[in-house]
Structure formats: C-alpha cells, structure tokens
Amino acid sequence: MAFTNIKNQDSLTYLIAGGAGFIGSHLCETLLENGHSVIALDNLVTGSQNNIEHLAHDARFTFIEHDIKNPIPTMGKIDCILNMASPASPMDFENLSIEIMLAGSIGTYHLLEFAKEKNAWFMMASTSEVYGDPEVHPQKEDYLGNVNCIGVRSVYDESKRFSESMTNAYLRKNLVQTSIIRIFNTYGPRMRVNDGRVVPNFIDQALHHKPITIHGKGTQTRSFCFVDDLVRGIIRTSVVRPETPINLGNTTEKTILEVAENIIAFTNSKSELTFLDLPEGDPKRRCPVLTRAKEILDWEPEISFADGIKKTIEYFKNAP
Ligand code: UDP
C-alpha cells in the first residue's frame, strides 16, 4: 500500500491515547490551538481530568475514558494516532507493573490495528529507557541499549521496546505509516505533585522546605527537556512523519545534585539535602544525541533549564 505523505496540516483529526496525561494534555491543547480536532483516550490511572477540563468547552475536543488494553471504541474519521499512553514514573514501575506491560503491548497492538482500519498515521511515544543503563554516552538512535529484562524498570523498558518492534512490524508489512520518537526526561506544568519523578519531587520538597531526597550520591545525570519544546518536536514529527526512530529531548546534562541546587536556589528554599539509597537499575547517565531530530525534523529544544524550571515552580505553587 502506498501512503500519502500529508505535509499540509489542514484541519486533521488526532486520536491521542494518554490524552489526559502530563505530555498528552499539552499535545491536545496545542493541536486544538493549531486548528485540529482531538479525541483524547485515557483510563485516568495516572492521567487526570484536571489536565483537560479547560479544553472541554471546545466542540473539536472529545474525551473518552477508555483503557487501551481493550479494543478501541468505534469512531469516525481519524488521520493521526499518537500513543502517549503509559504510566512513566519509576515510582509506578512496581505498583502498576502489569498495567504498564499491558498498555505497552496489547494497548499498542489495539492502536495499530485501529490505525490500519482508519488508514491513519501512527506515532509511538517510546522512551530513552529503551537504552536502559547505557554503556554508550551520549545515546544515538542506533545504540541498542543495556536493559535488564527482569529488573524493576523492565516493565516499562521492555513494553516500550516491544511497542517499537510492533510498530515497526506494521511498517515493514506496509500496514500502517508509522513513526517512533524516544522521549528523554521531560518536565513541566501538569506533572503530578506526587509523581515521584525528580523534578516534581524536588520542587514540592523545596516549596515546603522539606529535605530534598537525593538517591545515591546524586552524581547520576539526566538531561531535561521542557514540555513545550517536546510538544513542538512531536508536532514536527506529525508533519514530517519519519520512519526511523528519533530522539527528542535536551542535551543540557545535569547531575541530580545540580538539579537539587538549582531548584533550592529558584525557590529560595531552606531545604537541606538528604541522601537515600539508589534504586535498583537507576541509569548512571543519560543524554540524547539530537542530530537526527535536527536533520530530519529541523527541530531542537529552545527553552533553558532555568526558564523551564521557573515556569514549573509557578505551576506547583498552585497545583491542584
Ligand atoms: N531521584 C532522586 N530523588 C527523587 C526522585 C528521583 O534523586 O526524589 C533520581 C532518580 O534516582 C534518578 C533521577 O533522579 O537517578 C531521575 O529520576 P526520575 O524518577 O525523574 O526519572 P528516570 O530518569 O530515572 O526515569
């Protein structure tokens, strides 16, 4: 089957699985602003209706409470399907282990079947976690990763790796036009206050002058992308529709200690640091190579950590 490469972005209908989540809800909002129609699916296990209630008045927006482990409900014309659905915080990797594996296996399958039925473009939101605890630094898309398939993080890592394989199987068989993005650490407004990930944890602790919980010595690194930059990258992906996986993130790499110091400074907090055990399988360093994103999508992040963190702190001061 030959796919039409729709480059013009006249009003399209997007189905966003995980549309009430942190990144999904920002995508819904931006796509509506760009003149598209959006149907958000979410089972609300980690997503929240608070994230999308400001969109409810828009006649082009529909929310359907649905778990993608079940077949996708009947609906009309769909042009683009974005699979953003999965719990993504390491805090959830134990409690929601089975839910994560089902979302990233049968859930992806259901969405791909739906994309085939609708002749829609399908984008899989994968993750830097497919690289596991990387032995190659920084990480290019052709690095195959270092994942422990029975470790506590494996439910997330392996379900995303499975989803990538499944997505590529539909592409190879010419059943669906697909893209895969690998999202590196992303932060911003609408992360859950009790999300467990480093940025919301540290901001909440700093705002309440509570001890900042550093795992290990805090020498491990991450590279943090502000959500608005990521959303712009995803929108570029939906226009260009590359078949090859593409890293999306930010190359400004920081130690977790630096993150804590920055957040304490920006909040004028009296918090002190407390050092806890490093969780099992916690990657020692992580930073994307963004050459493909620059060359193929003509995209790179623009928002500095300082600017992004200040916006996130403002959100957390009044977070629901
Ligand atoms: N981390 C930390 N204190 C916290 C939460 C996280 O030191 O309260 C560390 C965590 O162990 C990891 C890094 O911060 O080394 C990023 O963790 P996060 O959960 O945000 O995401 P990850 O990149 O590990 O998936």
Side-chain angles (χ1 to χ4, degrees):
M1 190 199 308
F3 299 112
T4 42
N5 212 3
I6 304 170
K7 298 240 174 186
N8 95 44
Q9 287 276 286
D10 292 341
S11 186
L12 301 175
T13 302
Y14 281 76
L15 177 65
I16 309 207
F22 158 49
I23 299 172
S25 64
H26 284 279
L27 268 171
C28 293
E29 187 177 298
T30 304
L31 288 165
L32 288 168
E33 280 166 15
N34 292 355
H36 302 297
S37 298
V38 175
I39 301 169
L41 295 185
D42 208 300
N43 67 353
L44 301 176
V45 66
T46 52
S48 165
Q49 271 177 305
N50 288 335
N51 291 338
I52 49 169
E53 65 188 0
H54 63 295
L55 307 176
H57 69 276
D58 193 325
R60 292 166 304 135
F61 181 68
T62 309
F63 171 68
I64 303 173
E65 188 171 341
H66 178 79
D67 191 329
I68 56 169
K69 76 174 187 235
N70 301 312
I72 310 304
T74 306
M75 55 185 85
K77 179 177 90 76
I78 300 289
D79 302 297
C80 303
I81 299 177
L82 310 186
N83 185 9
M84 311 298 302
S86 178
S89 169
M91 184 185 77
D92 296 324
F93 292 173
E94 277 187 87
N95 279 348
L96 298 176
S97 51
I98 310 290
E99 288 84 346
I100 290 170
M101 293 223 73
L102 291 176
S105 54
I106 189 112
T108 299
Y109 166 71
H110 283 143
L111 289 168
L112 279 161
E113 279 294 297
F114 199 61
K116 184 175 76 175
E117 180 191 321
K118 297 289 179 190
N119 197 21
W121 168 74
F122 174 84
M123 189 202 79
M124 180 65 213
S126 183
T127 169
S128 54
E129 281 284 323
V130 299
Y131 304 124
D133 188 1
E135 292 159 317
V136 168
H137 192 76
Q139 292 81 50
K140 280 188 191 166
E141 290 87 348
D142 58 9
Y143 174 51
L144 302 181
N146 175 36
V147 173
N148 171 5
C149 63
I150 54 163
V152 71
R153 298 176 85 102
S154 67
V155 293
Y156 189 63
D157 302 8
E158 296 291 12
S159 62
K160 291 291 189 182
R161 289 168 71 99
F162 176 92
S163 289
E164 288 202 18
S165 301
M166 186 69 119
T167 301
N168 229 41
Y170 276 74
L171 179 71
R172 280 180 204 275
K173 283 186 157 237
N174 271 333
L175 297 172
V176 179
Q177 186 187 24
T178 67
S179 299
I180 295 170
I181 56 164
R182 295 188 180 141
I183 302 176
F184 282 65
N185 292 68
T186 301
Y187 68 98
R190 301 204 195 122
M191 290 187 98
R192 299 169 296 173
V193 175
N194 58 354
D195 180 87
R197 277 177 284 192
V198 67
V199 168
N201 265 15
F202 286 4
I203 292 179
D204 189 55
Q205 290 160 349
L207 287 175
H208 296 97
H209 307 287
K210 291 198 277 195
I212 305 282
T213 52
I214 308 277
H215 297 166
K217 296 194 175 89
T219 50
Q220 69 273 34
T221 70
R222 296 293 187 270
S223 309
F224 294 92
C225 184
F226 188 61
V227 65
D228 291 3
D229 274 334
L230 183 81
V231 165
R232 207 167 35 79
I234 294 175
I235 306 271
R236 282 294 301 154
T237 307
S238 78
V239 175
V240 177
R241 304 183 175 191
E243 293 183 351
T244 184
I246 300 204
N247 289 339
L248 292 180
N250 191 306
T251 52
T252 311
E253 187 179 358
K254 286 182 176 289
T255 65
I256 295 308
L257 270 180
E258 284 176 282
V259 174
E261 284 157 7
N262 290 163
I263 290 175
I264 288 173
F266 292 138
T267 50
N268 289 319
S269 176
K270 298 188 182 65
S271 290
E272 299 197 340
L273 306 183
T274 178
F275 291 83
L276 308 178
D277 288 344
L278 192 66
E280 177 202 314
D282 201 290
K284 287 177 271 309
R285 52 195 188 160
R286 185 185 286 153
C287 185
V289 172
L290 295 179
T291 313
R292 268 196 204 170
K294 284 181 200 154
E295 287 179 3
I296 297 178
L297 302 179
D298 190 24
W299 172 89
E300 57 186 321
E302 290 168 355
I303 298 164
S304 69
F305 188 70
D307 286 349
I309 279 289
K310 285 178 196 159
K311 287 183 187 174
T312 312
I313 290 168
E314 283 314 305
Y315 170 82
F316 273 85
K317 283 182 182 166
N318 303 301

